[in-house]
Amino acid sequence: MSIKKIPVLLSFYALSNGKEALMFGQIATTRLNDLSFTAYSPRRTFRTLFALYRTRPVAHTSVTLHFGPVSMSAKTDATGAFFFKHPVEQISSALQRVTLNAGGEVTLLEGLYLLTVHHVVSPMVMVSDIDDTLLHSFIRNKFRKLRTLLFTPVEKRGAVKNMRELMSDAAQQGGTVLYLSNSEQNLYPLIYRFLLHNKFPTGPLFLKQLRKLRDVFLYRKVGVPGIHKLKMLDQILALFPDKRFALVGDNTQQDLPIYLTASEKYPDNIRYILIRKARRSSSAQALIKKTEARLREQNITLYYEENLPTSLNW
């Protein structure tokens, strides 16, 4: 007898600037009842990820989020994700339930996200990429990337040297750490567990939409490259116009041009751009040379190194 698929809140975070809260989450159906990624064998890692890529979005569906006596409505998009803002003074408790307006409960997963609203009161915010910035993902080697992703238990996944120290230093100075990645929502439980296991500071994960398994095996890109990060950076920077930001990434994808684009739009908010040099890139060197004068004028410090500093002077 097969286990029935149920709707679950696969990921969630509520981020507040003191006036309004940005709510975002992902609802999908799955038969899985353990997404802890704790002490998994290679076989179990593969089976769980295989199942996560077979989850189906709860698409175009009206849902209600219940924060104690306060309820708020949202509607999922084609990928099962919701994203909206709500006045924070009306929210007096943690998220307790999520219901489908057509009937039925959405299961909340324990230990995979915070249910309280995270109020950002620090003057500084660090936004970091994940793949090949914090986590060795081997983006440029398709076979090794897929083999590592599907068969390597979380506890054996490699963290990039010194990056935990950089993230932790920002948190110890009172900063807020956010994570922005082109990884798909299917991988949220694995990535969350990796960050927790390697003692990276707690923070929201902004991931891309769900992907299908065939897209992964065929290396199909979902959406226009770079758009997800640009859109989310725009939302984050606009939500915190009084904060100073450090943007952290690597040169295996498009982090450098994305962060430089954001620095043109928000020059007064961005203090640091840190790019880990994971491979040789003549285009990155040319882009740095083209923009270094502007960055100096705007007092934006750019690091482009194999080993990034472990501490920043905010």
Side-chain angles (χ1 to χ4, degrees), residues 128-146:
S128 178
D129 176 52
I130 295 172
D131 291 311
D132 287 321
T133 299
L134 309 181
L135 167 67
H136 285 295
S137 301
F138 313 107
I139 293 295
R140 307 299 296 185
N141 185 325
K142 293 180 180 179
F143 175 76
R144 189 177 184 186
K145 169 193 171 184
L146 195 58

Side-chain angles (χ1 to χ4, degrees), residues 14-59:
L15 196 62
S16 163
N17 60 9
K19 295 181 180 179
E20 58 183 356
L22 181 65
M23 307 277 185
F24 57 95
Q26 173 76 53
I27 302 177
T29 58
T30 182
R31 293 187 177 94
L32 297 170
N33 56 19
D34 178 6
L35 289 171
S36 67
F37 280 92
T38 302
Y40 281 14
S41 64
R43 181 181 179 184
R44 188 174 182 184
T45 298
F46 172 77
R47 291 178 63 182
T48 303
L49 285 171
F50 185 82
L52 278 170
Y53 278 107
R54 297 185 68 193
T55 60
R56 293 292 179 265
V58 179

Side-chain angles (χ1 to χ4, degrees), residues 1-106:
M1 181 177 176
S2 62
I3 301 174
K4 181 181 178 181
K5 282 191 173 184
I6 60 170
V8 300
L9 187 62
L10 189 63
S11 65
F12 175 76
Y13 214 90
L15 196 62
S16 163
N17 60 9
K19 295 181 180 179
E20 58 183 356
L22 181 65
M23 307 277 185
F24 57 95
Q26 173 76 53
I27 302 177
T29 58
T30 182
R31 293 187 177 94
L32 297 170
N33 56 19
D34 178 6
L35 289 171
S36 67
F37 280 92
T38 302
Y40 281 14
S41 64
R43 181 181 179 184
R44 188 174 182 184
T45 298
F46 172 77
R47 291 178 63 182
T48 303
L49 285 171
F50 185 82
L52 278 170
Y53 278 107
R54 297 185 68 193
T55 60
R56 293 292 179 265
V58 179
H60 304 299
T61 300
S62 296
V63 301
T64 301
L65 283 68
H66 304 269
F67 289 82
V70 177
S71 298
M72 54 197 74
S73 297
K75 188 170 184 178
T76 61
D77 61 16
T79 71
F82 59 83
F83 189 94
F84 66 94
K85 293 178 181 177
H86 191 86
V88 74
E89 66 270 11
Q90 298 179 11
I91 305 171
S92 58
S93 68
L95 178 66
Q96 297 176 358
R97 298 170 58 217
V98 177
T99 55
L100 303 176
N101 290 5
E105 292 270 344
V106 176

Side-chain angles (χ1 to χ4, degrees), residues 258-301:
I258 288 170
Y259 292 168
L260 290 174
T261 298
S263 73
E264 288 187 83
K265 189 171 182 180
Y266 301 94
D268 296 332
N269 299 96
I270 296 175
R271 177 68 184 88
Y272 292 100
I273 296 175
L274 301 97
I275 302 295
R276 174 180 173 260
K277 187 160 52 174
R279 65 184 182 97
R280 293 182 180 179
S281 175
S282 57
S283 60
Q285 296 286 3
L287 186 55
I288 289 171
K289 187 174 182 179
K290 181 180 178 180
T291 58
E292 58 185 358
R294 173 180 68 83
L295 295 177
R296 280 197 301 269
E297 291 175 1
Q298 295 171 339
N299 196 31
I300 298 173
T301 300

Side-chain angles (χ1 to χ4, degrees), residues 152-209:
T152 305
V154 167
E155 292 86 355
K156 294 185 178 181
R157 293 295 300 269
V160 176
K161 183 181 178 181
N162 295 334
M163 295 307 294
R164 180 181 63 188
E165 288 76 9
L166 174 61
M167 303 290 113
S168 298
D169 177 74
Q172 288 167 7
Q173 291 190 56
T176 297
V177 178
L178 316 178
Y179 301 97
L180 174 60
S181 172
N182 274 329
S183 290
E184 51 270 23
Q185 288 283 346
N186 314 66
L187 298 179
Y188 177 92
L190 183 149
I191 294 173
Y192 187 91
R193 175 61 186 168
F194 167 82
L195 295 172
L196 188 66
H197 176 74
N198 286 279
K199 297 180 173 57
F200 283 97
T202 301
L205 275 67
F206 297 91
L207 304 182
K208 285 183 73 172
Q209 66 197 67

